[in-house]
């Protein structure tokens, strides 16, 4: 009996379908579950994670051309719609899902879902997806950056308003967020003149640093979560419920941004940018903010953000692959709600964020 070609190629298909970064995130959660950092090790890992995130935002600032940032202001309409999707549409959907508590998810997971809804958009993954789909990459760079900067104020304020007493919101918290995220970003902008060339020549190595920083923060958060008994609070049934809500949230965001882009008459390139920047959420910004706002209870809170992040990477990669194969002369607006065959998923690119 001969083996079918499909069975022979099956392992290779799996390797291409699974993003190594997604696998690394899941592996980090498993590592934190089996070998959580405790005592002095936890303090050392936490400090290292804070430094790594600061360095990550320093590199974001150093990569962004000041001219690109200023030119991006000319597309204020696009950025305004991205901001409205990120900080208005998502919270409205999140509040509407509150009626499913406690039937589908627990109160604690719903807190994390609301926090997910107020986290800013991504930078790196939006750029990678927009580039793959042949969209407006400079606009994606500016949209992701503006969203992250706005989120340093908007996210804590919205979280305190929507979530309430669970959030440790204070002037010290805002100062901590600014110290960890905003100041390194502005420092990178200032020093870009001298280090921009070096960063451009070492994109691959610095991309690994980006991902390593996120993995370190995930390990720190879930190590703290183990001390709080995170897996006693989150059962497999609740995880399935959370996955269902995250998928519904992503589908609504993609469909709404796609429809809005068509109604507003954006060009094809700008429509692509709006769909990706308006539907993606940032791990790089959300994780350190969760650590500041929720403290030791951040473990279960960041779980919805992690689940959503994995979904957005996989689904948006499929959509970007499909749009990349459309001929430039095809001007019909991209429709994120259309079904796309799984074979359309491109090879994994730089998707951090």
């Amino acid at each position: 009996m001969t083996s079918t070609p499909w069975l022979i190629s099956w392992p290779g298909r799996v390797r291409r379908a699974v993003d190594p970064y997604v696998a690394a995130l899941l592996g980090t959660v498993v590592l934190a579950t089996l070998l959580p950092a405790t005592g002095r090790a936890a303090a050392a890992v936490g400090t290292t994670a804070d430094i790594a995130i600061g360095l990550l935002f320093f590199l974001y600032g150093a990569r962004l051309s000041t001219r690109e940032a200023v030119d991006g202001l000319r597309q204020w309409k696009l950025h305004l719609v991205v901001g409205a999707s990120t900080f208005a549409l998502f919270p409205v959907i999140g509040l509407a899902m509150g009626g499913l508590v406690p039937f589908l998810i627990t109160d604690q997971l719903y807190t994390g879902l609301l926090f997910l809804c107020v986290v800013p958009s991504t930078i790196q993954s939006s750029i990678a997806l927009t580039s793959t789909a042949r969209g407006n990459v400079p606009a994606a760079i500016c949209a992701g950056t503006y969203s992250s900067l706005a989120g340093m104020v908007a996210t804590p304020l919205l979280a305190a308003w929507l979530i309430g007493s669970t959030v440790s919101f204070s002037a010290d918290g805002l100062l901590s967020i600014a110290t960890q995220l905003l100041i390194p970003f502005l420092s990178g902008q200032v020093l870009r003149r001298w280090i921009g060339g070096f960063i451009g020549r070492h994109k691959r190595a610095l991309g690994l640093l980006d991902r390593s920083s996120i993995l370190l923060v995930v390990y720190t958060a879930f190590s703290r979560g183990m001390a709080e008994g995170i897996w006693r609070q989150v059962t497999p049934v609740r995880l399935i419920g959370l996955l269902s809500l995250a998928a519904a949230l992503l589908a609504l965001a993609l469909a709404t941004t796609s429809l809005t882009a068509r109604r507003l008459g954006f060009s094809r390139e700008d429509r692509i940018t709006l769909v990706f920047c308006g539907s993606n959420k940032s791990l790089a910004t959300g994780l350190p903010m969760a650590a500041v706002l929720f403290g030791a209870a951040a473990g279960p809170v960041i779980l919805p953000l992690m689940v959503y992040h994995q979904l957005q990477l996989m689904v948006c990669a499929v959509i970007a692959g499909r749009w990349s194969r459309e001929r430039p002369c095809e001007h019909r607006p991209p429709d994120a709600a259309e079904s796309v065959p799984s074979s359309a998923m491109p090879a994994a690119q730089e998707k951090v964020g």
Side-chain angles (χ1 to χ4, degrees), residues 47-104:
T47 301
T48 305
D50 290 343
I51 295 172
I53 288 295
L55 180 59
L56 178 63
F57 273 80
F58 174 81
L59 293 174
Y60 282 165
R63 287 169 179 158
L64 178 65
S65 165
T66 305
R67 178 177 295 178
E68 285 180 343
V70 173
D71 289 345
L73 293 174
R74 298 175 183 173
Q75 294 179 294
W76 61 269
K77 188 176 179 181
L78 172 63
H79 302 311
L80 185 63
V81 178
V82 170
S85 175
T86 303
F87 299 116
L89 172 66
F90 271 89
V92 168
I93 297 175
L95 289 172
M97 290 180 171
L100 299 174
V101 179
F103 307 107
L104 200 57

Side-chain angles (χ1 to χ4, degrees), residues 57-58 60-62 64 145 149 181-189:
F57 273 80
F58 174 81
Y60 282 165
L64 178 65
T145 302
L149 294 177
L181 306 180
L182 181 59
I183 293 177
F185 178 86
L186 295 177
S187 299
Q189 273 283 283

